[in-house]
Amino acid sequence: MTETILANATLILPDEVIRGTLRMTEGRISAIDHGSAVPAGAIDCQGDLVLPGLIELHTDNLERHIQPRPKVNWPHQAAILAHDSELASVGITTVFDALRVGSAVSGGGSEHGEYARAMADEILELRAMGALKISHFLHLRAEVCSETLVTEMAKFGPGDRIGIVSLMDHTPGERQFRDLEKLREYVCGKHGLSDEGFADHVASQRALRERVGPLHEATAVAEARRYGAVLASHDDTTAGQVAVSAGHGAHFAEFPTTSEAARACRDHGIRVMMGAPNLIRGGSHSGNVAAAELAEAGLLDILSSDYVPSSLLSGALLLGDLWGDMARGISTVTRAPAEATGLDDRGRLEPGARADVIRVARIGKGAALRGAWVQANRIA
């Protein structure tokens, strides 16, 4: 029986921070002791932070590896392996890989085509081969304003490790892009549309949402139940939208765009998730509510790295400093996302929990990973 001992560490426990020793045996945390002693054979952490492996619920990072430049498609297996290694290198030990379902097939352009089922197969195959360092689940982003959502979601089932289904609605003038000028900047900058082309895009998307929106919302909610997945809302803006999300049974809200929506989530018992890049940058790149504003108001429960994997750890430490409570800050990337998705075996340092553990050295207000273990096996 092999035992790994991390000694003389600053242990981030669920509700407190202590100096102590953590032991890992047969994939589990076997013991936690107080004190700075370093037993024979232990790793002397020299006061570094030791905390649960980070849990990422929503990341676009895989897409960046698959298409590193516009119109440049990278081999998927290499992209998935690089994505997996990158997450491991920044302390993420569990990820819900976000895949869009719902395509705009009549609009042209490969990036709007169907890809989720094939990509899921490749991720699951690599997992079955033991080729991935960290734990992967799937997060299906159900795009309500699309043409193929019903047929795409029907291709998935309960055996596909789908942990999350999020209700996405990118109809122009709604939610994340209710400010059409912000949407114009984003779409025209990314796709090079003319003013006329942008106007056509807005009109066609609004017409599509009017035609299929109710059916697609109902389908996504029903399919989440069939998969056994947690349902999440996305970009709720008003209290009314939050009430609809609550009626659907949403467990958490991804990136509410206003304080009004965040407060309504709290009233309905829905956890609020915000982007760590928003927190670190000091505001939203889309002009929506700042994560720091919600944190200061006590309305932030979970962080996501969104499009910058390394931001997850940095953001949690920033919250710990902001709140004067490091255990609470770290919980936004460990215990809270685990609880939101029903993963009761990880996200906390306590005997019996899965030994997904990271060692972190503080460098100023930031940090550097010094070690990562998944089920007690060192991966970084």
Side-chain angles (χ1 to χ4, degrees):
M1 181 174 64
T2 302
E3 182 179 50
T4 300
I5 307 171
L6 304 181
N8 191 23
T10 303
L11 302 177
I12 312 296
L13 304 183
D15 298 303
E16 62 177 333
V17 178
I18 68 168
R19 181 61 66 95
T21 296
L22 180 142
R23 297 172 183 267
M24 296 181 279
T25 309
E26 296 185 331
R28 298 280 168 176
I29 296 172
S30 53
I32 292 174
D33 302 308
H34 286 70
S36 57
V38 180
I43 298 171
D44 183 354
C45 293
Q46 299 180 323
D48 285 349
L49 304 181
V50 169
L51 53 139
L54 312 185
I55 299 173
E56 174 56 71
L57 301 188
H58 176 125
T59 174
D60 300 335
N61 191 58
L62 178 56
E63 295 177 4
R64 180 173 65 83
H65 283 280
I66 291 167
Q67 193 173 75
R69 291 287 187 274
K71 300 181 181 179
V72 173
N73 296 312
W74 205 250
H76 287 179
Q77 184 180 93
I80 295 166
L81 291 171
H83 162 66
D84 173 71
S85 292
E86 182 180 0
L87 298 190
S89 75
V90 295
I92 296 170
T93 57
T94 297
V95 63
F96 289 74
D97 291 315
L99 304 174
R100 189 199 72 246
V101 285
S103 308
V105 294
S106 63
S110 61
E111 70 178 288
H112 296 292
E114 178 181 348
Y115 76 103
R117 178 67 265 182
M119 183 64 64
D121 287 341
E122 291 178 287
I123 293 169
L124 295 173
E125 181 180 9
L126 286 170
R127 177 182 177 274
M129 292 168 57
L132 301 176
K133 294 182 176 183
I134 71 173
S135 181
H136 288 254
F137 295 88
L138 301 183
H139 172 171
L140 297 187
R141 305 173 66 192
E143 183 53 67
V144 172
C145 189
S146 68
E147 296 172 288
T148 63
L149 183 66
V150 174
T151 56
E152 285 195 50
M153 295 196 80
K155 297 177 182 179
F156 290 88
D160 287 318
R161 286 179 69 82
I162 301 167
I164 303 168
V165 171
S166 56
L167 283 167
M168 315 286 289
D169 186 353
H170 288 104
T171 305
E174 300 290 335
R175 299 178 181 261
Q176 180 181 8
F177 289 117
R178 59 178 176 164
D179 184 336
L180 285 179
E181 284 308 307
K182 287 287 186 181
L183 178 62
R184 183 193 302 275
E185 291 175 13
Y186 177 78
V187 172
C188 293
K190 185 174 182 179
H191 301 293
L193 292 182
S194 64
D195 287 345
E196 182 180 357
F198 177 72
D200 289 343
H201 169 75
V202 169
S204 65
Q205 289 296 98
R206 285 175 167 172
L208 179 61
R209 177 64 171 85
E210 182 70 21
R211 186 171 75 250
V212 302
L215 170 63
H216 284 183
E217 279 194 34
T219 296
V221 172
E223 290 290 62
R225 294 195 186 107
R226 182 170 70 87
Y227 305 151
V230 165
L231 188 73
S233 66
H234 189 84
D235 292 337
D236 285 331
T237 300
T238 67
Q241 289 172 346
V242 173
V244 171
S245 298
H248 288 324
H251 283 221
F252 65 97
E254 298 187 307
F255 320 128
T257 66
T258 63
S259 294
E260 173 193 348
R263 292 187 184 281
C265 286
R266 183 55 50 86
D267 292 341
H268 285 282
I270 297 173
R271 295 175 188 262
V272 171
M273 183 173 85
M274 293 297 287
N278 178 326
L279 181 69
I280 291 166
R281 293 178 65 251
S284 164
H285 72 277
S286 301
N288 298 319
V289 69
E293 179 181 335
L294 298 188
E296 289 168 353
L299 296 173
L300 193 160
D301 304 299
I302 302 169
L303 279 182
S304 163
S305 70
D306 198 3
Y307 56 94
V308 184
S310 63
S311 70
L312 198 60
L313 176 58
S314 298
L317 294 172
L318 191 158
L319 285 177
D321 293 337
L322 174 69
W323 287 331
D325 184 342
M326 191 54 65
R328 181 184 174 194
I330 294 300
S331 76
T332 64
V333 297
T334 55
R335 182 173 57 172
E339 291 175 350
T341 51
L343 295 178
D344 59 5
D345 64 342
R346 69 196 77 186
R348 61 200 187 279
L349 297 187
E350 60 183 39
R354 177 177 160 123
D356 291 358
V357 176
I358 63 174
R359 174 188 172 187
V360 172
R362 290 300 302 261
I363 301 175
K365 292 186 177 297
L369 189 79
R370 292 289 183 252
W373 293 260
V374 169
Q375 291 185 293
N377 295 309
R378 188 158 192 169
I379 59 163

